[in-house]
Amino acid sequence: MFDLFREISQTLSHNKVRTALTGIAVTWGIFMLIVLLSMARGVTNSFNHDMMQGNNAKIQVWSGNTSIPYHGNREGRRIRLKDKDMVSVKDNNSGYVEEVTSRLSGGGKITSEKAQVSQSYSGVFPREFTPSRNGDIIAGRFLNSRDMDTKAKVMVIPQRYAAQLFPPDGKDALGSRVNCNGLSFLVVGVYESRWNREVYIPFTTARMMAADREDLGNLSINLKDVNTEKDGTDAEDGVRNTLAANHDFDPKDTNAVYIYNRFTSSLTTKNALGILDTCVWVLGILTLLTGIVGISNIMFVTVRERTHEIGIRRAIGAKPRKILTQVIVESVAITVIFGYIGIVLGTAVTQIIAMLIGEGDNTPLRNPTVSITIALEVTAVLVIAGMLAGLFPALKALKVKPVEALRDE
């Protein structure tokens, strides 16, 4: 083993400039591979984090205008979603639809005895608030089914407005009353969020306060038992067909209602990220190939310079397998040495990028660092690349005939 390391050292020292230039190419290739893989992993982590924050098995529907004449109705007719649509969409698509909700918004000033804020309110269902996406309840509770059933005049406000309405810190907000559009509301909850500023009241209460007691601006449909893209597409088609029957428009008219299928979109994004990861690997390996070709050339020169030595070894009984192993191991060693320099540099750069980006909620890259899996994969690439770089020079070494090698000057 010691002799093998000594021979590798001699190979490096005899071709210092050529080895250094080739090593730089290998280091650069591995460095780029590590950085690109880390960036791709950061994008994937950010996507997975966003997916975990909300329910991806979901369909959103908004009102639109027809673009195709149908049953005597001209194009351009406004389709207005109604309360009955929430019931019929669930009943007619029970195989895929778990729950149908909506949201109503209204404007106005929210006042207390000490201050007021100009902020619209949102009438929502209890399930519309999730801590990972909307914020954290720091006092009291969120809306519940009893609030919905009784059309209770209760409100959940952000900490920022609590501090403004009930200075100085908003601690007196919980259990206090505020006025909104001439109605008195009881504050039952206060939440903390860095970006969310919505004021929440029960959907049924917002419906009672709305000037139009039937129209809805949107539908939010939670899906169940959807596992494939076909399931998501079938669920979307079922929703569109139900609404088409309710409002008498052509089911093929995609402008009559606008549908965003979050489930199929998430599957498409996953596939795109998989393609991105593959492209990064291909690009990195192609970059690495320039260095591998250089190492192969070095080994060809080494075999040529050591032809006399190889001939002596063959003459005294050295087996071809030993000569083959020696050349390949030398090639792998050179590749791994310079490759790990690239790994160290690439890891350092990704750590710096991760520190600069931070862990914000809206960051496009989340934890873009090298994982153990990536390190093992790159190590395997290095070993395989080194073996391939030394394979052809090693085969050439085996073709050297002892008699001709001993005559070589």
Side-chain angles (χ1 to χ4, degrees):
M1 181 62 68
F2 178 77
D3 291 339
L4 181 59
F5 285 126
R6 180 173 56 81
E7 291 171 356
I8 293 173
S9 177
Q10 290 176 351
T11 301
L12 295 176
S13 61
H14 289 166
N15 304 280
K16 292 180 181 178
V17 176
R18 189 186 296 113
T19 302
L21 292 176
T22 304
I24 291 174
V26 174
T27 299
W28 176 253
I30 290 296
F31 171 81
M32 289 302 299
L33 181 59
I34 287 291
V35 172
L36 290 174
L37 285 174
S38 299
M39 295 301 101
R41 188 58 53 89
V43 173
T44 302
N45 291 340
S46 180
F47 172 72
N48 291 333
H49 178 266
D50 293 340
M51 284 182 61
M52 291 176 62
Q53 283 191 324
N55 176 23
N56 282 300
K58 200 168 193 175
I59 290 177
Q60 299 287 138
V61 184
W62 293 271
S63 298
N65 295 304
T66 60
S67 59
I68 301 175
Y70 190 70
H71 286 178
N73 296 312
R74 299 180 61 183
E75 69 273 14
R77 180 167 53 96
R78 182 67 176 174
I79 301 299
R80 301 184 183 279
L81 300 174
K82 305 290 184 180
D83 284 351
K84 66 178 183 179
D85 292 324
M86 290 193 289
V87 178
S88 61
V89 166
K90 182 177 181 179
D91 291 344
N92 295 341
N93 303 276
S94 58
Y96 288 124
V97 174
E98 180 180 18
E99 182 183 28
V100 183
T101 61
S102 186
R103 173 180 291 231
L104 288 173
S105 298
K109 294 181 179 179
I110 301 173
T111 63
S112 67
E113 293 181 356
K114 299 180 180 180
Q116 69 176 20
V117 294
S118 297
Q119 173 64 31
S120 61
Y121 61 83
S122 296
V124 299
F125 284 71
R127 283 187 57 176
E128 288 298 301
F129 189 94
T130 55
S132 59
R133 193 177 76 179
N134 302 97
D136 296 315
I137 298 293
I138 59 175
R141 62 173 177 83
F142 193 66
L143 309 174
N144 57 34
S145 57
R146 181 178 175 82
D147 297 330
M148 295 284 292
D149 294 338
T150 61
K151 301 179 183 178
K153 298 180 183 65
V154 294
M155 183 177 290
V156 178
I157 61 177
Q159 169 61 26
R160 179 179 181 179
Y161 295 153
Q164 293 178 22
L165 293 170
F166 300 93
D169 52 16
K171 290 183 177 180
D172 296 332
L174 186 65
S176 299
R177 288 194 169 271
V178 295
N179 292 318
C180 179
N181 289 354
L183 298 176
S184 177
F185 283 80
L186 177 67
V187 177
V188 296
V190 178
Y191 71 90
E192 180 68 55
S193 175
R194 290 194 297 176
W195 60 271
N196 189 15
R197 297 291 183 268
E198 286 193 274
V199 173
Y200 298 103
I201 66 174
F203 175 84
T204 50
T205 305
R207 165 59 77 210
M208 179 183 65
M209 296 169 60
D212 191 321
R213 299 298 177 87
E214 292 186 1
D215 286 357
L216 298 175
N218 64 84
L219 296 178
S220 181
I221 304 167
N222 293 325
L223 303 178
K224 63 180 180 179
D225 299 330
V226 286
N227 302 300
T228 65
E229 186 173 356
K230 183 179 183 303
D231 292 339
T233 303
D234 289 344
E236 178 180 338
D237 292 340
V239 170
R240 188 181 297 278
N241 291 335
T242 298
L243 294 176
N246 289 350
H247 298 275
D248 199 27
F249 65 82
D250 192 334
K252 298 179 181 179
D253 189 353
T254 57
N255 292 322
V257 290
Y258 299 105
I259 297 181
Y260 171 62
N261 193 328
R262 187 172 180 179
F263 176 75
T264 55
S265 295
S266 65
L267 291 182
T268 302
T269 305
K270 275 187 176 181
N271 294 333
L273 291 176
I275 295 174
L276 172 64
D277 196 53
T278 301
C279 291
V280 166
W281 270 106
V282 171
L283 180 61
I285 290 175
L286 289 177
T287 305
L288 182 62
L289 279 178
T290 58
I292 299 305
V293 171
I295 290 178
S296 184
N297 289 334
I298 286 180
M299 298 311 299
F300 272 118
V301 172
T302 300
V303 169
R304 176 61 185 167
E305 291 176 348
R306 296 167 63 183
T307 300
H308 193 73
E309 174 190 337
I310 293 172
I312 293 175
R313 291 187 177 185
R314 293 290 303 277
I316 62 177
K319 296 181 179 180
R321 185 179 62 183
K322 187 173 183 181
I323 303 296
L324 182 68
T325 302
Q326 177 186 342
V327 177
I328 290 179
V329 169
E330 288 183 11
S331 176
V332 170
I334 295 174
T335 306
V336 170
I337 289 171
F338 287 103
Y340 270 106
I341 294 175
I343 290 178
V344 172
L345 293 177
T347 302
V349 168
T350 57
Q351 291 288 348
I352 293 173
I353 293 174
M355 288 171 43
L356 293 176
I357 292 177
E359 291 291 334
D361 290 335
N362 298 319
T363 178
L365 297 174
R366 180 170 294 276
N367 190 27
T369 54
V370 180
S371 65
I372 295 178
T373 302
I374 291 180
L376 292 175
E377 290 173 349
V378 172
T379 301
V381 169
L382 282 175
V383 174
I384 294 172
M387 293 176 64
L388 292 176
L391 178 61
F392 295 104
L395 293 176
K396 182 179 180 181
L398 292 181
K399 294 179 181 179
V400 176
K401 296 181 179 180
V403 175
E404 295 179 1
L406 290 173
R407 279 196 240 147
D408 189 70
E409 295 293 334

